[in-house]
Amino acid sequence: MKQSQPDREVTGETATPDAGTPLAREIADLSKRRRVIGQFPVPLPRETRVLAVSNQKGGVGKTTTTVNLAAALAKAGARVLVIDLDPQGNASTALGVEHTAETPSIYDVLIDGFALSDVVMPSPEFPNNLFCAPSTIHLAGAEIELVTQDRREHLLRTAVDSLLEEAAGQYHYVFIDCPPSLGLLTINAFVAAREVLIPIQCEYYALEGLSQLLSSIQLIGEHLNPGLRLSTILLTMFDGRTNLSNQVAEDVRTHFPDQVLHTVIPRTVRISEAPSFGQTVISYDPSSLGAVSYLEAAAEIAVWGRKFEQRQSTIRKDA
């Protein structure tokens, strides 16, 4: 199968183009972006940031975004935990973490009362900085089992708070990969999180169902988790050559000017290939366009978070 042009450019599979051509400019631009992001110091948050990554539409790059942002921040020196709350277990696969039926998992935390620390495993990708609480096939039935549990919406929040209390300062970020639905698992993620990150695909129907998701976030904030906020929207599967991608990006930025990252994630072969090797694109092809884009997005999230902390600190002092 013929590989897409951007990936051939990045991996050097084509001859060096003449200077001044569009291809040469793209290569030069990517090289510059690599240098800049390689020299950029990524600030660490003063307190652990807990982000639920959610979109009820499937195929928008939700899990891909979760694991690649986590790996990018881990590469930059942050200690990151990924909680795989999707019964498909794709985040566990991408991080190279075992998640067979016998593996202690997030299911055991929610249903059997295990401590979260009992199921967390290091990712071989960055074993000192990147960790995962895996999902197993048992999680597929958890929605039904949760119905009979006391305080069923708060089970994950209790587990996360206990972990962060007993391992004070150990984690800078916790990412919760939500299933593509608005059931009890996603509600648990919203109650446990402080922030919501929504990946939005730059394709037709991108905003479909988003109003329902935003309404759910608002309801959770009003009744179960007053501190919850929509902090970040990341545009994924972007193809700058098409009018559609550019129009979707413009529409989303118009509706959410304060939440949309400047960085967009392109549609590339390397990003799609990486999970089949049990890796994120950050390790699979660190010089690729996809890896550089996720590194930039992670740096932007870190910078925005630090600015938000500073604003909140100023507000508290003035109060």
Side-chain angles (χ1 to χ4, degrees):
M1 182 174 66
K2 185 177 180 181
Q3 194 177 36
S4 65
Q5 188 180 57
D7 288 296
R8 294 203 308 273
E9 296 166 13
V10 170
T11 55
E13 294 175 13
T14 58
T16 303
D18 294 335
T21 64
L23 179 56
R25 288 194 294 271
E26 285 186 33
I27 295 173
D29 177 66
L30 182 57
S31 297
K32 180 181 178 181
R33 289 169 62 185
R34 286 193 200 117
R35 289 194 302 272
V36 170
I37 199 63
Q39 298 168 358
F40 184 83
V42 176
L44 298 175
R46 294 186 180 92
E47 297 180 357
T48 304
R49 294 178 64 184
V50 184
L51 299 95
V53 184
S54 178
N55 193 323
Q56 69 186 67
K57 276 177 60 64
V60 300
K62 176 182 57 61
T63 297
T64 300
T65 290
T66 302
V67 297
N68 282 297
L69 287 177
L73 289 164
K75 184 176 183 178
R79 292 183 297 276
V80 187
L81 170 63
V82 173
I83 298 176
D84 190 354
L85 209 60
D86 189 339
Q88 297 179 76
N90 292 334
S92 305
T93 299
L95 294 174
V97 171
E98 181 180 348
H99 58 109
T100 60
E102 296 77 23
T103 305
S105 69
I106 196 65
Y107 170 87
D108 299 295
V109 173
L110 296 175
I111 305 301
D112 296 325
F114 280 38
L116 191 53
S117 56
D118 291 340
V119 307
V120 169
M121 293 187 286
S123 167
E125 194 158 317
F126 298 103
N128 296 321
N129 280 28
L130 184 56
F131 304 86
C132 179
S135 165
T136 63
I137 190 64
H138 300 302
L139 196 60
E143 292 273 2
I144 298 173
E145 295 180 71
L146 283 171
V147 171
T148 61
Q149 297 272 9
D150 292 333
R151 290 178 56 83
R152 56 182 179 264
E153 300 93 348
H154 296 267
L155 294 172
L156 185 60
R157 175 64 178 260
T158 300
V160 170
D161 286 351
S162 296
L163 175 71
L164 297 181
E165 184 177 345
E166 70 183 50
Q170 181 174 345
Y171 297 108
H172 296 106
Y173 292 89
V174 176
F175 286 92
I176 307 172
D177 186 36
C178 300
S181 64
L182 293 176
L184 275 172
L185 289 175
T186 299
I187 291 173
N188 263 269
F190 287 169
V191 174
R194 285 47 160 180
E195 307 174 43
V196 178
L197 187 158
I198 303 178
I200 294 183
Q201 183 182 15
C202 291
E203 294 193 355
Y204 199 55
Y205 293 136
L207 299 178
E208 188 179 77
L210 189 58
S211 60
Q212 184 181 355
L213 177 58
L214 295 175
S215 296
S216 298
I217 294 170
Q218 183 178 357
L219 285 171
I220 297 296
E222 290 174 356
H223 299 286
L224 297 171
N225 183 8
L228 185 67
R229 63 188 178 94
L230 170 61
S231 66
T232 311
I233 293 175
L234 179 61
L235 298 169
T236 64
M237 303 181 186
F238 181 81
D239 186 347
R241 298 169 299 181
T242 68
N243 291 331
L244 179 59
S245 278
N246 286 290
Q247 185 61 55
V248 169
E250 183 180 340
D251 289 346
V252 176
R253 293 189 192 281
T254 300
H255 283 89
F256 305 98
D258 298 325
Q259 287 83 23
V260 183
L261 296 182
H262 297 294
T263 304
V264 297
I265 305 302
R267 181 187 291 278
T268 74
V269 174
R270 290 293 183 262
I271 292 176
S272 302
E273 285 178 344
S276 64
F277 292 89
Q279 292 180 289
T280 67
V281 74
I282 305 300
S283 291
Y284 176 66
D285 193 349
S287 64
S288 68
L289 178 60
V292 171
S293 298
Y294 271 115
L295 287 166
E296 290 172 335
E300 199 174 343
I301 287 171
V303 170
W304 280 24
R306 175 57 63 86
K307 289 180 179 178
F308 180 79
E309 285 180 335
Q310 291 170 345
R311 286 198 302 271
Q312 294 300 101
S313 178
T314 301
I315 291 171
R316 286 194 290 269
K317 288 179 181 177
D318 294 341

